[in-house]
């Protein structure tokens, strides 16, 4: 795809130059993406029609003007534009503009009490990692127990809406506390999800205004590059998204002992010290304990035990038939299979 062609699309579709961006290689366009959808992706994930197409970018045969036009007219893109043009709106203000928020604002005390109970159910389901599809059944059961819940807001879609509102409210409180905190510690660990995508889990350790220390979940982010430089860029951008320059506040970082994190010269801690020379790097105690136990049992009978357990795990993990037979055997023995 020619660069001039895409530049022409920019003038036609994105006349203000706000969002349509592209990457090039050897005078050819290799990727087209939406800068605003990428910037606000964490808040956009909650909407019904969220898509990663113009967040990660379209490539190859998808590089068509029609796809760009469709994205420019999408609900997701409209929300991203609103978020960019009204950056001072808080999540509370955004919530009040939704149908649920307006209903809560005009509800009587009795209706508010009913909504509160329904939100309690949604929160419990989220904590227990239950599917939204179970929500109508639980609501119906509570009604049979005599709990006054009314007839509205009893669908799985409303459960999802409640859960999003609760999650955003909790996140807003954490974000506000992070902004007000003078110093921050960060705890990070990487993992690969079921789709074999590298992610980074981020917690923050801070001191509340009342003097109490608190450790809070902050973000789970996709890592484009699992190098020290890539993880540093991710960390800086994650806090920049909420208006915080982490380099000015970061006093400690707790990570595992991998070279990418604690390498003496080019590890994550080392390159973070370039902007935060006072930084204290801590080798995670849980990871150290795991390594110590592994070294202590190395060369003993535990090697055979570990191999046997791994073989048993994969024997049942990869075979639905074996797992079914295993569950039947456990049922006969009055034991429970936790899977």
């Amino acid at each position: 795809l020619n660069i001039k062609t895409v530049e022409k699309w920019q003038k036609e579709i994105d006349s203000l130059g706000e969002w349509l961006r592209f990457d090039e290689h050897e005078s050819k366009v290799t990727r087209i993406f939406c800068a605003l959808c990428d910037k606000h992706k964490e808040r956009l994930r909650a909407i019904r029609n969220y898509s990663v197409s113009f967040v990660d970018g379209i490539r190859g045969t998808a590089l068509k003007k029609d796809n760009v036009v469709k994205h420019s007219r999408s609900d997701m893109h409209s929300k991203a534009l609103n978020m960019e043009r009204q950056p001072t709106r808080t999540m509370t203000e955004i919530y009040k503009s939704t149908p649920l928020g307006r209903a809560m604002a005009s509800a009587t005390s009795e209706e508010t009490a009913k909504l509160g109970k329904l939100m309690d159910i949604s929160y419990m389901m989220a904590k227990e990692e239950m599917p939204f599809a179970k929500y109508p059944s639980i609501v119906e059961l509570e009604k049979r127990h005599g709990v006054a819940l009314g007839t509205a807001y009893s669908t799985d879609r409303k459960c999802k809406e409640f859960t999003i509102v609760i999650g955003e409210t909790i996140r807003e409180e954490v974000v506000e506390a992070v902004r007000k905190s003078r110093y921050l510690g960060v705890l990070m660990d990487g993992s690969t999800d079921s789709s074999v995508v590298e992610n980074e889990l981020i917690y923050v350790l801070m001191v509340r205004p009342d003097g109490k220390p608190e450790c809070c979940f902050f973000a789970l982010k996709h890592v484009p590059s699992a190098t020290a430089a890539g993880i540093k860029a991710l960390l800086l951008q994650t806090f920049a998204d909420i208006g915080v320059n982490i380099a000015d506040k970061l006093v400690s970082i707790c990570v595992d002992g991998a070279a990418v994190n604690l390498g003496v010269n080019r590890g994550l801690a080392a390159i973070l010290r370039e902007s935060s020379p006072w930084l204290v790097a801590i080798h995670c105690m849980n990871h150290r304990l795991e390594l110590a136990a592994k070294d202590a049992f190395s060369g003993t009978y535990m090697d055979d035990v570990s191999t046997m357990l791994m073989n048993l795990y994969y024997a049942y993990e990869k075979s639905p038939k074996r797992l079914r037979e295993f569950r039947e055997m456990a049922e006969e023995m009055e034991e429970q299979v936790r899977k």
Side-chain angles (χ1 to χ4, degrees):
L1 183 62
N2 194 289
I3 292 176
K4 289 185 178 180
T5 301
V6 179
E7 289 176 343
K8 184 179 178 182
W9 294 355
Q10 284 180 315
K11 292 178 182 178
E12 293 177 8
I13 305 169
D14 181 24
S15 58
L16 297 178
E18 292 180 292
W19 58 273
L20 187 56
R21 302 288 184 270
F22 63 87
D23 295 336
E24 60 177 283
H25 179 67
E26 296 181 352
S27 301
K28 296 292 182 181
V29 174
T30 57
R31 179 176 77 117
I32 295 177
F33 65 100
C34 176
L36 297 186
C37 288
D38 182 48
K39 179 179 178 179
H40 299 289
K41 59 188 175 185
E42 294 305 316
R43 291 169 65 184
L44 290 171
R45 288 184 197 278
I47 72 172
R48 189 182 311 164
N49 299 318
Y50 176 77
S51 170
V52 298
S53 297
F54 276 80
V55 173
D56 294 340
I58 56 174
R59 298 174 173 83
T61 57
L63 293 170
K64 298 177 180 178
K65 182 179 179 180
D66 184 52
N67 289 333
V68 178
V69 172
K70 285 180 180 177
H71 176 72
S72 69
R73 297 171 179 172
S74 68
D75 181 54
M76 171 178 162
H77 182 67
S78 296
K79 283 183 167 57
L81 282 172
N82 289 334
M83 290 174 183
E84 183 68 16
R85 292 168 180 172
Q86 302 181 49
T88 57
R89 291 183 75 194
T90 65
M91 285 309 305
T92 301
E93 291 170 334
I94 294 171
Y95 164 63
K96 287 180 178 178
S97 68
T98 65
L100 177 60
R102 289 194 294 270
M104 286 287 284
S106 60
T108 64
S109 58
E110 183 180 348
E111 291 170 335
T112 302
K114 292 177 181 178
L115 284 170
K117 292 172 184 176
L118 292 170
M119 294 186 85
D120 280 344
I121 295 173
S122 300
Y123 180 76
M124 178 276 295
M125 291 181 62
K127 289 285 286 185
E128 297 296 325
E129 301 180 6
M130 296 171 67
F132 294 138
K134 297 287 186 183
Y135 175 77
S137 300
I138 295 175
V139 171
E140 191 59 37
L141 178 63
E142 287 293 86
K143 287 180 181 178
R144 289 204 298 270
H145 289 163
V147 181
L149 296 176
T151 57
Y153 307 107
S154 58
T155 66
D156 55 349
R157 288 174 59 184
K158 290 303 177 184
C159 179
K160 178 182 177 181
E161 190 175 343
F162 285 144
T163 304
I164 291 170
V165 168
I166 293 168
E168 292 288 5
T169 302
I170 294 173
R171 175 166 173 75
E172 184 181 3
E173 292 174 357
V174 173
V175 166
E176 191 60 28
V178 168
R179 287 176 179 147
K180 291 180 178 179
S181 182
R182 293 181 62 189
Y183 308 109
L184 295 171
V186 170
L187 295 81
M188 301 177 67
D189 195 15
S191 67
T192 304
D193 65 15
S194 57
S195 60
V196 199
V197 173
E198 187 82 17
N199 293 289
E200 198 73 24
L201 183 66
I202 303 173
Y203 278 76
V204 290
L205 181 62
M206 56 189 168
V207 178
R208 292 280 192 174
D210 59 5
K212 294 181 180 178
E214 187 171 6
C215 185
C216 300
F217 167 72
F218 187 68
L220 179 63
K221 293 282 188 176
H222 165 58
V223 186
S225 173
T227 62
I231 297 172
K232 177 185 176 181
L234 173 73
L235 182 64
L236 296 179
Q237 186 59 50
T238 299
F239 284 91
D241 287 344
I242 64 165
V244 172
N245 182 3
I246 189 63
D248 295 337
K249 295 190 175 191
L250 188 63
V251 295
S252 70
I253 183 168
C254 181
V255 288
D256 63 33
V260 71
N261 291 322
L262 296 179
V264 176
N265 297 314
R266 298 307 299 169
L268 174 62
I271 61 176
L272 281 172
R273 287 196 182 101
E274 293 172 359
S275 54
S276 306
W278 52 79
L279 182 71
V280 176
I282 302 168
H283 186 174
C284 173
M285 290 302 297
N286 288 333
H287 285 90
R288 293 175 71 178
L289 179 60
E290 179 189 10
L291 292 171
K294 187 176 180 180
D295 287 345
F297 287 114
S298 180
T300 69
Y301 69 92
M302 283 301 296
D303 289 343
D304 295 329
V305 173
S306 179
T307 301
M308 178 189 70
L309 292 174
M310 287 294 291
N311 289 339
L312 281 171
Y313 171 79
Y314 284 114
Y316 291 106
E317 172 70 13
K318 303 297 182 181
S319 174
K321 179 183 176 183
R322 290 174 184 167
L323 183 58
R324 185 183 69 251
E325 293 172 345
F326 181 59
R327 284 175 172 157
E328 290 173 354
M329 181 176 68
E331 188 175 346
E332 290 294 328
M333 298 175 67
E334 299 184 354
E335 296 289 344
Q336 185 175 4
V337 177
R338 296 187 178 277
K339 186 176 188 296

